[in-house]
Amino acid sequence: GMELFLIIVLGIVAIIQWDKHKRVERRLENTIESFRLELIKLRGGETGDDSADVPAPEPDQVAAEEVRDPLSAQPEVEDAPLEAEPAPELEPVLAEQEPVKEAAYTAPDDEVQVQEAEPSEYEGSEYETQNVGLASRFSFDFEDIFGRRLPIWAGGFALAIAGIFLVRYAIEAGLITPLVRVLLSFIFGLGLLGGAEAAYRYEHKLRDPRVRQALAGAGLATLYGAFYLAGTAYGLIGASAAFVGLAAVTAAAIALSFRFGLPCAVIGLVGGFAAPLMVDSDTANVPLLSFYLALVAGGLAWTGQAQGRSWMGYAALALGLGWGALMMFSGVSSNSDFAALGIYLVVLGTVLPAFLHSKGGPSLPKLAAGAVATLQMAVLVDDAGFAPLTWGLYLLIGAALTALGWRYPALRLGALVAAGLGLWLLLIWPDPDAQFFAVIAAAQLVIFALVPLAYHWLGRATMLELGQLSAVSIVTGLMIYTKFGGWGELPREPVMAACMAGLAVIPAAAFAISWKRGEEGETRRALITLAPAAILAFSALLLLTPAWLAPIMAAVVAAMLVALYKAREAMALSIAAWVSAAVVLLALASTPDFQIEALRLGPDETPLDTMRALIRWGVSALPFLAMAWIGRSEVSRSFGEGLSVVLIYGAISQCVISDVQAWIVAGGAIALFLWQSERRAAWATAGIFAGFWALLAIAEWVSAGAAATIGDPFMASSAVGYVDIALKIAPLGAVLAVLMWKGRGERMEFVAAAALGLGLLGSITLHSLYKQIFAITSLLQFEHFGMAERSVWQALLVMAAFGASRVLPKHIGRLVCFGLIVLSLAHFIWFTLVLHNPLVSVQHVGPTPIANWLLLAYGTAIAGIWLALEQWEDRPRLVRLCADAVTMGLLSLLGYSLLRQVFAGSVLTSTAISQTESLQISLLGIVLALGFLWWGSVRKQRSWRIGSLVLMLIAVVKVFLIDAAVLDGLLRIASFMALGFSLIGIGWVYSRQLKRIETQDA
């Protein structure tokens, strides 16, 4: 145990010192490197500036200076002459001389050495200097770590381990008595401290502070071990004497840290708090232990403050609070123990954090210490049973801290922590007496709220004090209502309301002081007092009125805040006004009748108290109307407009049947757009509600359409009905039409969006009306008429696209044409080719060969493709090739489907494919391939000729792999003969076509 403790301590010290010196030496290296670069630049600059007056140095001298270390203090070694670069005027002469043949000349050894030392073309440049610096830095780090740093710290570490093993060896070998063993460890520890002092005094010879730090750290660790062995292991001294000795070593470590540095302080930090655990004692003296731990924590905090190591104080604070929790959970019984531990927690939670960095504001370690101490004190007071004695001690400490804070502002944080502690105690107080609770709460208000208010009155309050008085006021009100309030208990509610109103006076008075001084522009200071005052006032009004009036009471408070915002422009007042308006919405939504009232915004017509609902929604709209009217920014006005329209519509919907609500809100949107077009949020919100009604009408249409995309047929019953078209879709259509008609001053995107929305509504309406023509309501009807319905719809879309391209202006017509063609092709590909392809699904295509729905469906798709190509004037060549490939594929699939219809009838899946039909399919492929070849020749389009070859290849492969495999005898011979002649003929035709094309091109 003790060995591990010492090893950990020394390891921590070594790591800290290692890291510290590494940072310092890296900073020194960077400084030297920067000086090196600056000196090189200055030398080059001076040479350039004085070239006219000072004679140029000899080439040998220049070369020698370039390779010399500018910062080196050592005498330079004379190098062999280096070959200089010829001057520009001598270059032609030198160029005429015969070059020296390197292979015919062997230099002597010394000259070879000089040539090897010759600088490269980059030597002396900044690039080369940086590289040299980096290389030397890596080398220096290695040597520094393994040659200079580790030995020293390893020596100190070895000394400490030697002390530990010395004692352990003596124990195991039994060479000397326990008393002598302990004395030797004391002598060894003191000897190490003496060595540290000698190293300190002879620093001018050692020139390394880590020597004394290592010796001092090892000596202190050995002394800790000696007292531990003397008191706990051998019992040579009593527990009290061992404890005093460990405390003395801790004090020595703190004192020596000013002389020898950080390792002593770290050992004092760890050893001081570990000392009570090293003492073997059956009973714990809580007052003495609390006093000792407080001294250790305070001493370490003072040491850290004096040495500029604030982390040491925070570490001592954390360890001290940990000891407080340990003492509390180990059991505290007597009044003296309660008092001692309570004072200890207050010191560590308030006084010590305030002492650390007392010039600064609240920091995270301070708040964390206060929170931990508050929690521990709460448990302690709870253990004492909330007796008047403990409450009196708490109030006395709080008053003392507040008084000290009046004189020393750094200690006001302690008062804040004590206030938080008091509120926590009020919360956990079980079944308190009402009068005693009122006395304690009133005393806390005086100490922790009225004193900060006095600070504010005198102009000495900071955010800390303002936050304290506000938090104490509002949390006290919450505690009072939690303990004694309750909904519906009328005798108590007025008393509760009076308490809330009285508590609201404190933050309201603070805000009034700020208002009088013109400080409402300071957002945080204004909000921190205004918000609690508004909340407490709203709470008082709620306690005096029925629940359904909650939004009206919230609107009363919001009206006061909006009036403040109207009087003076400030960010804090704007935030307060908007938050109060949001509270109005929250109050409206949290009351019992809201759910029924909200359903009235839609098609629901559940009976309710119409007048009450109208008042609630109408009054709730007033704060937002006011913000829309007085808002000083566009965002503020927009929010006010939009939310006021929502609430006004909600009020109207409470007393109007749902059938006309869509037209009412659409009329409002149109009116606002025509007469208040700058109120964009208002008419846009009304338009959104019109869209909401249209969405209700098309919800089933959208759902059925989504199901149709995965194979569930779209029935006529899912289309939008005539009544919904008139009462729900038409209002939104009217709004979009007006926006498109009167929106010429708006951006082009706005008009385009309105036109797109109107087009979507029109498409949905036309589709719904079209679905009523075929009136498909069952799967049997879908099998008979689904193909017809889809084909006609796709044809109508293509015809509409053709009409748009001829009637509408060119740029608009082209856009509409493309959109309709895309819809038609997407509908054909997904529904006719993928989901309900007659080749794999039960779909009636018509009894008559060729003149059936197949020809209309495929013909429409091909026509759409070529119409799109016609509209796309500057199309890329790749698009045309893709269109040719798709057209050939559709023609092939159409031909195969028509052939299947000849053999199978109206339902293509009714019979299996026979051998005869299979041969006919192969023949069809060959015929189509010839047709593609002929068309490609006539149109001079190579893509069609390639398509014909691909289709021919497919047909040949089919004949060989499928058709011939099921034939035998003469049929197989005949099939191969037919195939052979066909291939020969096709090849002959294809070659003639190619020759004709080449002749024409020539």
Side-chain angles (χ1 to χ4, degrees):
M2 189 61 197
E3 295 88 345
L4 179 61
F5 162 73
L6 292 176
I7 291 173
I8 292 175
V9 169
L10 294 176
I12 293 174
V13 172
I15 291 173
I16 292 174
Q17 284 297 316
W18 193 348
D19 181 70
K20 176 182 176 182
H21 285 278
K22 188 174 182 180
R23 289 199 305 269
V24 172
E25 292 183 4
R26 281 182 178 176
R27 190 181 300 113
L28 181 61
E29 291 171 8
N30 292 335
T31 305
I32 294 175
E33 190 66 28
S34 63
F35 284 154
R36 183 196 302 272
L37 296 176
E38 291 296 330
L39 186 57
I40 292 174
K41 292 179 181 179
L42 289 175
R43 176 172 296 178
E46 292 174 358
T47 303
D49 295 340
D50 301 337
S51 58
D53 302 327
V54 181
E58 295 296 329
D60 297 344
Q61 180 181 357
V62 174
E65 289 179 355
E66 286 180 353
V67 299
R68 183 182 305 157
D69 187 355
L71 299 180
S72 176
Q74 302 296 330
E76 298 290 331
V77 179
E78 184 176 359
D79 296 332
L82 300 177
E83 182 179 357
E85 183 179 357
E89 61 271 9
L90 299 179
E91 290 182 357
V93 179
L94 294 176
E96 295 176 359
Q97 298 178 0
E98 182 179 357
V100 179
K101 296 182 180 179
E102 297 179 358
Y105 173 75
T106 303
D109 294 340
D110 55 348
E111 187 172 347
V112 172
Q113 294 177 0
V114 173
Q115 291 177 354
E116 291 176 353
E118 183 177 357
S120 65
E121 57 179 334
Y122 296 107
E123 187 161 354
S125 64
E126 184 177 354
Y127 171 84
E128 194 273 337
T129 305
Q130 292 176 354
N131 288 339
V132 171
L134 291 173
S136 62
R137 181 177 303 172
F138 287 118
S139 176
F140 177 76
D141 283 347
F142 179 82
E143 295 173 354
D144 180 64
I145 292 173
F146 291 96
R148 189 169 65 88
R149 296 185 178 184
L150 287 182
I152 294 177
W153 290 112
F157 191 76
L159 290 176
I161 298 300
I164 296 172
F165 282 115
L166 176 63
V167 177
R168 185 174 180 178
Y169 176 77
I171 295 173
E172 294 176 352
L175 299 177
I176 53 178
T177 63
L179 177 61
V180 176
R181 302 170 195 168
V182 173
L183 288 177
L184 288 177
S185 63
F186 276 112
I187 294 173
F188 185 69
L190 293 174
L192 289 175
L193 292 179
E197 177 65 23
Y200 177 78
R201 292 178 180 272
Y202 294 98
E203 172 64 22
H204 60 283
K205 294 183 178 181
L206 295 177
R207 296 181 181 180
D208 196 333
R210 288 169 297 179
V211 175
R212 62 174 181 266
Q213 291 174 356
L215 293 173
L220 290 171
T222 304
L223 291 177
Y224 271 116
F227 276 109
Y228 170 76
L229 293 173
T232 300
Y234 300 125
L236 298 176
I237 58 177
S240 300
F243 184 76
V244 172
L246 292 171
V249 176
T250 300
I254 295 174
L256 292 177
S257 66
F258 289 92
R259 190 171 185 84
F260 298 138
L262 180 62
C264 296
V266 174
I267 291 177
L269 174 68
V270 179
F273 284 101
L277 298 176
M278 300 180 188
V279 178
D280 187 10
S281 179
D282 296 332
T283 59
N285 190 329
V286 175
L288 179 61
L289 182 59
S290 301
F291 181 70
Y292 165 76
L293 292 173
L295 288 179
V296 171
L300 289 170
W302 175 77
T303 301
Q305 192 81 0
Q307 296 180 2
R309 299 187 179 102
S310 59
W311 61 266
M312 187 184 302
Y314 292 130
L317 184 63
L319 292 174
L321 290 173
W323 260 110
L326 184 62
M327 288 188 290
M328 182 174 56
F329 290 123
S330 63
V332 179
S333 57
S334 64
N335 291 334
S336 60
D337 290 349
F338 280 118
L341 186 54
I343 294 174
Y344 173 75
L345 291 175
V346 171
V347 169
L348 262 69
T350 61
V351 178
L352 191 56
F355 174 75
L356 296 175
H357 287 181
S358 58
K359 295 183 180 180
S363 61
L364 182 60
K366 297 179 184 180
L367 299 178
V372 174
T374 298
L375 182 60
Q376 294 180 7
M377 180 65 80
V379 177
L380 186 66
V381 176
D382 183 34
D383 292 340
F386 295 88
L389 175 63
T390 55
W391 271 120
L393 177 62
Y394 157 72
L395 293 175
L396 179 62
I397 293 174
L401 289 174
T402 303
L404 291 173
W406 189 279
R407 178 66 179 84
Y408 302 103
L411 294 179
R412 295 181 187 177
L413 180 64
L416 176 62
V417 175
L421 171 62
L423 295 174
W424 174 257
L425 293 176
L426 290 178
L427 176 63
I428 65 174
W429 193 355
D431 300 326
D433 179 73
Q435 295 181 353
F436 188 38
F437 188 93
V439 171
I440 298 299
Q444 290 193 34
L445 285 173
V446 173
I447 297 172
F448 301 124
L450 294 183
V451 172
L453 183 62
Y455 289 148
H456 190 40
W457 175 266
L458 297 175
R460 297 167 52 188
T462 63
M463 285 292 297
L464 182 68
E465 287 77 38
L466 293 178
Q468 178 177 325
L469 72 89
S470 298
V472 169
S473 301
I474 194 168
V475 177
T476 301
L478 179 62
M479 296 300 102
I480 292 174
Y481 192 80
T482 301
K483 296 298 181 182
F484 304 104
W487 289 99
E489 299 182 11
L490 295 180
R492 288 188 175 184
E493 297 303 327
V495 177
M496 295 292 103
C499 292
M500 299 300 170
L503 291 171
V505 172
I506 299 175
F511 177 76
I513 294 173
S514 299
W515 180 273
K516 184 177 180 180
R517 294 173 181 169
E519 297 174 350
E520 70 280 352
E522 300 180 17
T523 304
R524 292 186 300 169
R525 293 174 67 90
L527 285 179
I528 206 170
T529 54
L530 186 59
I535 293 173
L536 289 169
F538 178 47
S539 302
L541 292 174
L542 281 180
L543 292 170
L544 292 174
T545 56
W548 70 271
L549 286 175
I552 288 87
M553 297 301 102
V556 172
V557 178
M560 294 186 290
L561 298 177
V562 171
L564 292 175
Y565 177 53
K566 185 177 184 301
R568 294 183 185 178
E569 180 181 359
M571 178 63 69
L573 300 179
S574 175
I575 295 173
W578 271 113
V579 171
S580 65
V583 172
V584 174
L585 281 182
L586 182 62
L588 177 66
S590 60
T591 47
D593 296 334
F594 174 75
Q595 184 175 1
I596 299 176
E597 295 168 357
L599 292 175
R600 299 278 298 188
L601 275 67
D604 188 272
E605 295 184 2
T606 303
L608 48 70
D609 191 335
T610 304
M611 184 56 64
R612 177 185 295 184
L614 183 61
I615 293 173
R616 284 161 46 83
W617 287 79
V619 174
S620 298
L622 294 178
F624 297 100
L625 283 172
M627 294 304 296
W629 182 262
I630 67 173
R632 294 177 173 87
S633 67
E634 184 177 353
V635 175
S636 179
R637 289 193 301 270
S638 298
F639 271 103
E641 294 167 7
L643 292 173
S644 60
V645 168
V646 172
L647 293 170
I648 291 173
Y649 168 68
I652 294 173
S653 65
Q654 306 304 315
C655 54
V656 175
I657 61 174
S658 60
D659 290 341
V660 297
Q661 289 183 19
W663 276 111
I664 290 176
V665 73
I670 293 172
L672 287 170
F673 179 74
L674 293 178
W675 289 288
Q676 294 287 329
S677 59
E678 68 279 2
R679 301 281 184 180
R680 295 176 177 271
W683 54 259
T685 304
I688 290 173
F689 271 105
F692 162 74
W693 281 102
L695 184 61
L696 289 179
I698 66 175
E700 187 176 357
W701 184 93
V702 173
S703 177
T709 58
I710 59 175
D712 191 6
F714 193 117
M715 301 300 177
S717 57
S718 299
V720 184
Y722 301 114
V723 176
D724 286 341
I725 291 175
L727 295 180
K728 298 177 181 178
I729 291 183
L732 180 60
V735 172
L736 294 175
V738 172
L739 294 180
M740 189 174 63
W741 173 45
K742 291 293 186 179
R744 297 177 181 176
E746 303 290 339
R747 297 176 60 182
M748 186 63 188
E749 293 83 353
F750 175 83
V751 179
L756 179 61
L758 191 61
L760 290 176
L761 284 181
S763 300
I764 294 173
T765 301
L766 291 176
H767 182 266
S768 297
L769 295 176
Y770 174 76
K771 294 294 290 187
Q772 306 304 324
I773 297 175
F774 287 86
I776 298 175
T777 57
S778 66
L779 290 176
L780 182 60
Q781 290 178 323
F782 179 74
E783 292 174 357
H784 281 81
F785 306 109
M787 185 69 183
E789 185 185 51
R790 292 195 305 273
S791 301
V792 173
W793 175 252
Q794 291 154 198
L796 290 175
L797 290 176
V798 173
M799 291 174 61
F802 179 78
S805 65
R806 296 296 186 270
V807 175
L808 297 177
K810 186 175 182 180
H811 61 286
I812 298 178
R814 181 181 300 174
L815 183 63
V816 174
C817 178
F818 273 119
L820 293 174
I821 290 174
V822 168
L823 288 177
S824 177
L825 291 176
H827 195 278
F828 168 78
I829 293 171
W830 187 247
F831 292 103
T832 300
L833 290 184
V834 177
L835 294 180
H836 308 295
N837 195 321
L839 292 172
V840 294
S841 301
V842 179
Q843 292 285 284
H844 288 263
V845 299
T848 307
I850 299 178
N852 51 39
W853 300 117
L854 290 170
L855 186 62
L856 178 61
Y858 285 90
T860 299
I862 295 173
I865 293 173
W866 290 96
L867 179 59
L869 288 178
E870 180 185 346
Q871 295 297 314
W872 196 347
E873 296 177 351
D874 53 346
R875 59 183 179 274
R877 182 172 179 271
L878 181 61
V879 173
R880 179 57 181 265
L881 295 178
C882 292
D884 291 341
V886 172
T887 301
M888 286 185 282
L890 292 177
L891 288 174
S892 302
L893 194 57
L894 172 61
Y896 171 64
S897 300
L898 291 175
L899 181 61
R900 188 87 263 270
Q901 194 266 351
V902 171
F903 286 90
S906 181
V907 179
L908 305 186
T909 59
S910 60
T911 61
I913 299 176
S914 63
Q915 293 184 3
T916 304
E917 184 179 356
S918 180
L919 291 173
Q920 294 294 327
I921 293 172
S922 302
L923 180 60
L924 174 65
I926 296 173
V927 172
L928 287 175
L930 292 174
F932 293 165
L933 178 60
W934 172 79
W935 180 259
S937 301
V938 172
R939 303 286 296 186
K940 297 182 180 179
Q941 293 179 357
R942 186 169 178 267
S943 58
W944 284 83
R945 300 195 302 269
I946 295 176
S948 70
L949 292 178
V950 172
L951 185 58
M952 182 64 64
L953 178 62
I954 295 174
V956 170
V957 171
K958 178 181 178 298
V959 170
F960 273 102
L961 297 181
I962 299 177
D963 297 337
V966 298
L967 298 177
D968 56 4
L970 294 177
L971 290 177
R972 176 179 296 182
I973 296 173
S975 63
F976 276 103
M977 289 179 62
L979 178 62
F981 285 120
S982 299
L983 292 175
I984 294 173
I986 292 171
W988 178 76
V989 172
Y990 193 81
S991 62
R992 287 180 58 86
Q993 294 293 333
L994 288 180
K995 289 181 179 179
R996 186 170 63 86
I997 293 170
E998 292 174 357
T999 303
Q1000 292 176 356
D1001 293 339

